[in-house]
Amino acid sequence: MKKVECVAMLLAGGQGSRLGVLTEKIAKPAVPYGGKYRIIDFPLSNCINSGIDTVGVLTQYQPLELSDYIGSGKPWDLDRFNRGVHILPPYQQIGGADWYKGTANAIYQNIPFIERYNPEYVLVLSGDHIYKMDYSKMIKQHKETGADCTIAVLEVPAEEASRFGIMNCDADGRIYEFEEKPANPKSNLASMGIYVFSWDKLKYYLETDDKNDKSSKDFGKDVIPSMLDDQQKLVCYRYSDYWKDVGTIDSLWEANLDLLNPKVELDLSDPDWKIYSATPSSSAQYIAQCANVQNSLITEGCEISGDIEYSVIFENVIIEPGATVEYSIIMPGAKICKDAKVQYSIIAENTIIQRGARVGEKPEEIDNLEDWGVAVVGAGITIGEDVEIKAKQMITSDIAKV
């Protein structure tokens, strides 16, 4: 097969347990975002916009919907003969499937796929981040510096640095130390979980790591430290634009509402860096004269007759007269019935909030702010008439009328 310069390997098999009910039936990268996208649309779009047309998507947890969504890769122009996007479940051995044991092991199991293309470089990506990045610039720096591994880093506030994996670098950007969530961080350069490796070096360290029974088979915990111990050249690539890890309920909620904040630079309508999606086009939206919509994103196919403020409404949502939605995310096919009130909440797909129900609370209504949080109602659930769902609650099954 023809040699390609770079193969991208997209890690999309995580369970996303911190998203609770939202990932009970789907993998985290398949979670809806921004009215008409899924989280995985961002790394896939970044790849094709960066000129990378050979992508392996490593699936494991609840892969069916994610695999169906990606399909042949056509929406991202990744339906290429002999290249394009490939779904890579855990490797099937004679004795059965061997589950991916960690991020490094997931790539190790797919060495035969990578070698089909004989690349010079391998780009390792995560499937749960919202951002727009030109990977070709990172690869260019990797080549120019002669690095064995280049790691994308983002400056974070010093007081938050202990929450991240921190890269300590020399003045020329060479990484001399990696600290996982240090109590007293020496820098504020947080790893974004985006790596460019020279393939020959990566293959060696993956094979070496696989032979180590004490390894947890993880890039951050095992492979990167081993390369540092061996004095390999690891260099940081500084990134300064919008980036959000949407691995928690709060961060997913915040990332959606960031689209409504003029101070946040995340333009999804930029024709020069389009974010592609496999979400089918719906019919035109209908907003009734009685509706009151303020600073919100309303997607195609919606029927809006109620009041909406600072919220993201996905396709085919119905909001009936007298219903109120504030600071909330309403996912595809949900219905908010007459006189219901939803605030500071995430309502998952095909959920019904019946008449007079109350979901979520404003922070100022809570005596102790530690007790406040985004309320979440899972997919396909019905909340009965006049039922009240408090802040921070996560609803996993139907609740009947009061």
Side-chain angles (χ1 to χ4, degrees):
M1 187 166 290
K2 186 177 179 181
K3 179 183 178 72
V4 301
E5 181 182 48
C6 181
V7 169
M9 300 294 280
L10 175 50
L11 297 164
Q15 182 175 351
S17 57
R18 292 180 298 167
L19 289 176
V21 68
L22 296 180
T23 51
E24 273 191 350
K25 298 178 181 179
I26 61 174
K28 182 165 52 172
V31 170
Y33 169 80
K36 62 178 182 179
Y37 304 98
R38 304 269 178 160
I39 296 170
I40 199 167
D41 289 335
F42 288 81
L44 287 177
S45 297
N46 287 339
C47 281
I48 199 64
N49 288 330
S50 302
I52 298 170
D53 63 4
T54 307
V55 183
V57 179
L58 285 68
T59 62
Q60 180 158 281
Y61 172 78
Q62 296 285 12
L64 182 59
E65 185 167 343
L66 182 62
S67 298
D68 286 347
Y69 180 75
I70 295 172
S72 67
K74 185 175 181 179
W76 305 273
D77 192 25
L78 286 169
D79 53 337
R80 309 289 183 91
F81 180 70
N82 285 335
R83 295 193 185 185
V85 66
H86 302 261
I87 305 299
L88 303 172
Y91 187 71
Q92 297 291 317
Q93 300 187 34
I94 294 174
D98 188 5
W99 290 97
Y100 295 145
K101 301 179 181 69
T103 55
N105 178 257
I107 306 297
Y108 170 79
Q109 286 199 37
N110 287 285
I111 286 176
F113 168 78
I114 297 172
E115 291 198 316
R116 287 172 57 188
Y117 300 97
N118 190 25
E120 294 180 54
Y121 311 105
V122 171
L123 173 68
V124 178
L125 305 170
S126 296
D128 53 0
H129 300 154
I130 303 296
Y131 67 112
K132 298 195 297 184
M133 177 189 280
D134 188 345
Y135 302 135
S136 68
K137 293 181 179 179
M138 187 174 174
I139 295 168
K140 182 174 182 287
Q141 179 191 291
H142 181 84
K143 290 190 262 186
E144 290 174 346
T145 59
D148 298 303
C149 172
T150 299
I151 301 174
V153 297
L154 183 77
E155 289 191 18
V156 298
E159 61 272 17
E160 296 182 18
S162 59
R163 294 173 41 224
F164 296 89
I166 296 297
M167 297 293 170
N168 298 319
C169 305
D170 294 332
D172 62 357
R174 181 160 183 167
I175 299 167
Y176 63 87
E177 185 180 30
F178 170 71
E179 296 181 287
E180 181 66 33
K181 298 181 180 179
N184 299 296
K186 299 172 186 175
S187 81
N188 66 338
L189 294 179
S191 171
M192 297 169 64
I194 300 170
Y195 313 105
V196 174
F197 289 95
S198 297
W199 171 231
D200 57 344
K201 288 294 176 71
L202 176 59
K203 182 181 178 183
Y204 170 80
Y205 279 95
L206 289 176
E207 291 176 339
T208 301
D209 185 68
D210 184 67
K211 297 172 185 175
N212 182 1
D213 294 336
K214 297 180 180 180
S215 171
S216 58
K217 316 302 181 188
D218 183 82
F219 277 107
K221 296 176 182 177
D222 304 288
V223 174
I224 300 301
S226 292
M227 294 183 74
L228 286 172
D229 288 344
D230 290 347
Q231 302 296 309
Q232 298 298 314
K233 188 172 185 179
L234 280 69
V235 177
C236 66
Y237 175 78
R238 290 176 178 259
Y239 181 77
S240 58
D241 293 332
Y242 183 92
W243 178 84
K244 194 88 165 185
D245 181 339
V246 287
T248 66
I249 292 296
D250 285 349
S251 63
L252 178 65
W253 177 77
E254 290 167 1
N256 274 274
L257 296 188
D258 279 345
L259 295 172
L260 308 174
N261 186 347
K263 296 181 180 179
V264 173
E265 297 182 3
L266 181 61
D267 182 6
L268 301 188
S269 62
D270 181 1
D272 295 327
W273 201 271
K274 187 174 180 181
I275 302 300
Y276 301 92
S277 171
T279 302
S281 297
S282 303
S283 58
Q285 61 182 228
Y286 169 74
I287 300 181
Q289 288 187 343
C290 62
N292 180 19
V293 178
Q294 301 290 331
N295 194 27
S296 296
L297 191 159
I298 312 293
T299 312
E300 297 172 331
C302 293
E303 297 179 22
I304 309 298
S305 301
D307 297 340
I308 303 175
E309 181 180 359
Y310 217 86
S311 296
V312 176
I313 313 299
F314 286 72
E315 71 270 13
N316 302 322
V317 165
I318 297 173
I319 299 180
E320 293 187 343
T324 301
V325 176
E326 300 173 339
Y327 291 83
S328 293
I329 316 303
I330 313 296
M331 291 184 175
K335 182 178 182 181
I336 314 300
C337 297
K338 188 175 181 179
D339 298 328
K341 186 168 187 176
V342 176
Q343 53 187 348
Y344 294 89
S345 299
I346 298 177
I347 307 300
E349 300 174 71
N350 303 314
T351 288
I352 300 174
I353 309 299
Q354 292 189 337
R355 184 169 182 162
R358 298 287 186 270
V359 181
E361 298 176 89
K362 295 179 179 179
E364 53 266 31
E365 295 173 348
I366 307 294
D367 292 334
N368 184 355
L369 269 181
E370 291 185 1
D371 295 330
W372 180 84
V374 176
V376 182
V377 181
I381 288 173
T382 297
I383 301 299
E385 291 185 16
D386 300 318
V387 168
E388 186 172 351
I389 306 299
K390 295 290 188 179
K392 216 172 186 176
Q393 282 190 273
M394 187 171 291
I395 307 303
T396 60
S397 59
D398 293 352
I399 299 182
K401 178 179 177 180
V402 172

